[in-house]
Amino acid sequence: MYNSIVDEKPLKWIASSYKDLMELPRDVRRLFGHALSQAQAGDRHDAAKVLKGFDGAGVLEVVENDAGGTYRAVYTVRFEEAVFVLHCFQKKSKRGIETPKEDMDIIRDRLKKAATWAKELRDEKTHH
């Protein structure tokens, strides 16, 4: 358990992930916010599961259902510098629990952006 806010990793939003989160139902946002807060503290929310297809890259997703459908928030804890929120969306696919290919492509692309951003943050830190 962490003792101070200093130990908490910053939260970084990739592309439209914050705007997309804010468009989700309030109770869904609340759960996702709680899960992200736990990730920042180095913990893992009970609803957070490793997202398959990323070779154990520390990519997790939180899934929540409400009357309007199924919602997902995907983030990575792979980098020391921050917790990066990669994608927040309503799952539209009717094919079981599998994440749709378009969403997987967005997540892959944003994971690359997160890696670049993490490197910039690392370089900033070493040059100060």
Side-chain angles (χ1 to χ4, degrees), residues 6 10-11 26 45 49-50 63 78 80 88-89 97 102-104 108 119 123:
V6 176
L11 196 59
R26 198 169 122 228
H45 191 278
K49 307 284 182 250
V50 172
V63 180
R78 172 196 268 181
E80 285 294 312
C88 295
F89 62 103
I97 60 168
E102 308 82 71
D103 291 305
M104 291 298 279
R108 276 192 190 86
K119 184 184 182 317
D123 291 348

Short mmCIF file of all heavy atoms in Angstrom, two decimals, residues 6 10-11 26 45 49-50 63 78 80 88-89 97 102-104 108 119 123:
data_model
loop_
_atom_site.label_atom_id
_atom_site.label_comp_id
_atom_site.label_asym_id
_atom_site.label_seq_id
_atom_site.Cartn_x
_atom_site.Cartn_y
_atom_site.Cartn_z
N VAL A 6 2.78 11.25 -3.36
CA VAL A 6 4.02 11.31 -4.12
C VAL A 6 4.28 9.99 -4.86
O VAL A 6 4.82 9.97 -5.94
CB VAL A 6 5.21 11.63 -3.18
CG1 VAL A 6 6.53 11.60 -3.92
CG2 VAL A 6 5.00 12.98 -2.54
N PRO A 10 1.35 9.74 -12.39
CA PRO A 10 0.40 10.62 -13.06
C PRO A 10 -0.45 9.83 -14.06
O PRO A 10 -0.06 8.75 -14.50
CB PRO A 10 1.29 11.65 -13.76
CG PRO A 10 2.64 11.04 -13.82
CD PRO A 10 2.73 10.03 -12.72
N LEU A 11 -1.60 10.40 -14.40
CA LEU A 11 -2.50 9.80 -15.37
C LEU A 11 -2.39 10.60 -16.66
O LEU A 11 -2.50 11.83 -16.63
CB LEU A 11 -3.92 9.85 -14.82
CG LEU A 11 -4.98 8.98 -15.45
CD1 LEU A 11 -4.60 7.51 -15.37
CD2 LEU A 11 -6.32 9.20 -14.74
N ARG A 26 -22.61 8.15 -16.03
CA ARG A 26 -21.96 8.58 -14.79
C ARG A 26 -21.45 7.43 -13.93
O ARG A 26 -20.32 7.46 -13.44
CB ARG A 26 -22.93 9.46 -13.99
CG ARG A 26 -22.22 10.27 -12.95
CD ARG A 26 -23.11 11.32 -12.33
NE ARG A 26 -23.13 11.05 -10.90
CZ ARG A 26 -24.21 10.99 -10.16
NH1 ARG A 26 -25.38 11.18 -10.68
NH2 ARG A 26 -24.12 10.74 -8.88
N HIS A 45 -7.64 -2.82 -9.64
CA HIS A 45 -9.06 -2.94 -9.32
C HIS A 45 -9.53 -4.36 -9.64
O HIS A 45 -9.04 -4.98 -10.58
CB HIS A 45 -9.84 -1.92 -10.16
CG HIS A 45 -11.26 -1.74 -9.74
ND1 HIS A 45 -12.25 -2.60 -10.13
CD2 HIS A 45 -11.84 -0.80 -8.97
CE1 HIS A 45 -13.40 -2.19 -9.62
NE2 HIS A 45 -13.17 -1.09 -8.91
N LYS A 49 -8.74 -6.50 -15.88
CA LYS A 49 -8.19 -7.76 -16.39
C LYS A 49 -7.16 -7.46 -17.47
O LYS A 49 -7.28 -6.47 -18.19
CB LYS A 49 -9.30 -8.61 -17.02
CG LYS A 49 -10.52 -8.85 -16.12
CD LYS A 49 -10.24 -9.89 -15.05
CE LYS A 49 -11.44 -10.16 -14.20
NZ LYS A 49 -11.35 -9.69 -12.84
N VAL A 50 -6.19 -8.34 -17.62
CA VAL A 50 -5.19 -8.18 -18.68
C VAL A 50 -5.90 -8.34 -20.02
O VAL A 50 -6.68 -9.28 -20.22
CB VAL A 50 -4.06 -9.22 -18.53
CG1 VAL A 50 -3.12 -9.19 -19.73
CG2 VAL A 50 -3.30 -8.99 -17.23
N VAL A 63 -14.17 -3.57 -17.63
CA VAL A 63 -15.44 -3.72 -18.34
C VAL A 63 -16.58 -3.46 -17.37
O VAL A 63 -16.57 -3.97 -16.26
CB VAL A 63 -15.57 -5.15 -18.94
CG1 VAL A 63 -16.89 -5.31 -19.68
CG2 VAL A 63 -14.39 -5.46 -19.85
N ARG A 78 2.53 -0.29 -18.15
CA ARG A 78 3.83 -0.78 -18.60
C ARG A 78 4.96 0.19 -18.29
O ARG A 78 6.10 -0.22 -18.06
CB ARG A 78 3.78 -1.03 -20.11
CG ARG A 78 5.14 -1.36 -20.70
CD ARG A 78 5.15 -1.22 -22.20
NE ARG A 78 4.83 -2.46 -22.85
CZ ARG A 78 4.79 -2.60 -24.17
NH1 ARG A 78 4.99 -1.57 -24.96
NH2 ARG A 78 4.52 -3.76 -24.71
N GLU A 80 7.05 3.29 -16.31
CA GLU A 80 7.29 3.86 -14.99
C GLU A 80 6.73 5.28 -14.86
O GLU A 80 6.34 5.70 -13.79
CB GLU A 80 8.81 3.94 -14.73
CG GLU A 80 9.47 2.63 -14.40
CD GLU A 80 8.98 2.07 -13.07
OE1 GLU A 80 8.95 2.82 -12.08
OE2 GLU A 80 8.61 0.89 -13.04
N CYS A 88 -11.40 4.51 -24.29
CA CYS A 88 -12.65 4.33 -23.54
C CYS A 88 -13.76 4.27 -24.58
O CYS A 88 -13.85 5.16 -25.44
CB CYS A 88 -12.90 5.51 -22.61
SG CYS A 88 -11.67 5.68 -21.31
N PHE A 89 -14.57 3.22 -24.50
CA PHE A 89 -15.58 3.07 -25.56
C PHE A 89 -16.73 2.18 -25.12
O PHE A 89 -16.62 1.44 -24.14
CB PHE A 89 -14.93 2.50 -26.83
CG PHE A 89 -14.32 1.12 -26.68
CD1 PHE A 89 -14.98 -0.01 -27.16
CD2 PHE A 89 -13.08 0.95 -26.07
CE1 PHE A 89 -14.41 -1.28 -27.03
CE2 PHE A 89 -12.51 -0.32 -25.94
CZ PHE A 89 -13.17 -1.43 -26.41
N ILE A 97 -17.51 -11.85 -26.26
CA ILE A 97 -16.81 -10.86 -25.44
C ILE A 97 -15.57 -10.30 -26.13
O ILE A 97 -14.89 -9.44 -25.60
CB ILE A 97 -16.39 -11.46 -24.06
CG1 ILE A 97 -15.46 -12.64 -24.26
CG2 ILE A 97 -17.61 -11.83 -23.25
CD1 ILE A 97 -14.78 -13.09 -22.99
N GLU A 102 -11.40 -3.04 -34.83
CA GLU A 102 -11.17 -1.58 -34.95
C GLU A 102 -10.67 -1.03 -33.62
O GLU A 102 -9.78 -0.18 -33.58
CB GLU A 102 -12.45 -0.82 -35.33
CG GLU A 102 -13.19 -1.33 -36.55
CD GLU A 102 -14.10 -2.51 -36.22
OE1 GLU A 102 -15.13 -2.35 -35.55
OE2 GLU A 102 -13.75 -3.63 -36.65
N ASP A 103 -11.27 -1.49 -32.53
CA ASP A 103 -10.85 -1.01 -31.21
C ASP A 103 -9.46 -1.53 -30.86
O ASP A 103 -8.65 -0.80 -30.28
CB ASP A 103 -11.88 -1.41 -30.14
CG ASP A 103 -13.19 -0.66 -30.32
OD1 ASP A 103 -13.16 0.59 -30.34
OD2 ASP A 103 -14.23 -1.31 -30.46
N MET A 104 -9.16 -2.77 -31.21
CA MET A 104 -7.81 -3.32 -30.96
C MET A 104 -6.76 -2.51 -31.73
O MET A 104 -5.68 -2.24 -31.22
CB MET A 104 -7.74 -4.79 -31.34
CG MET A 104 -8.55 -5.70 -30.43
SD MET A 104 -7.99 -5.71 -28.71
CE MET A 104 -6.59 -6.84 -28.83
N ARG A 108 -3.65 -0.53 -30.12
CA ARG A 108 -2.25 -0.76 -30.54
C ARG A 108 -1.57 0.54 -30.94
O ARG A 108 -0.43 0.82 -30.55
CB ARG A 108 -2.21 -1.74 -31.72
CG ARG A 108 -2.25 -3.16 -31.30
CD ARG A 108 -1.90 -4.15 -32.42
NE ARG A 108 -2.21 -5.46 -31.92
CZ ARG A 108 -3.43 -6.03 -31.97
NH1 ARG A 108 -4.42 -5.41 -32.56
NH2 ARG A 108 -3.63 -7.22 -31.45
N LYS A 119 8.88 7.90 -23.16
CA LYS A 119 10.29 8.16 -23.44
C LYS A 119 10.60 9.65 -23.30
O LYS A 119 11.61 10.04 -22.73
CB LYS A 119 10.67 7.66 -24.83
CG LYS A 119 12.17 7.82 -25.13
CD LYS A 119 12.50 7.42 -26.55
CE LYS A 119 13.98 7.52 -26.85
NZ LYS A 119 14.67 8.71 -26.34
N ASP A 123 13.22 11.24 -20.75
CA ASP A 123 14.31 12.11 -21.21
C ASP A 123 14.27 13.46 -20.49
O ASP A 123 15.31 13.99 -20.12
CB ASP A 123 14.24 12.32 -22.72
CG ASP A 123 14.57 11.05 -23.49
OD1 ASP A 123 15.06 10.08 -22.88
OD2 ASP A 123 14.31 11.02 -24.71
#
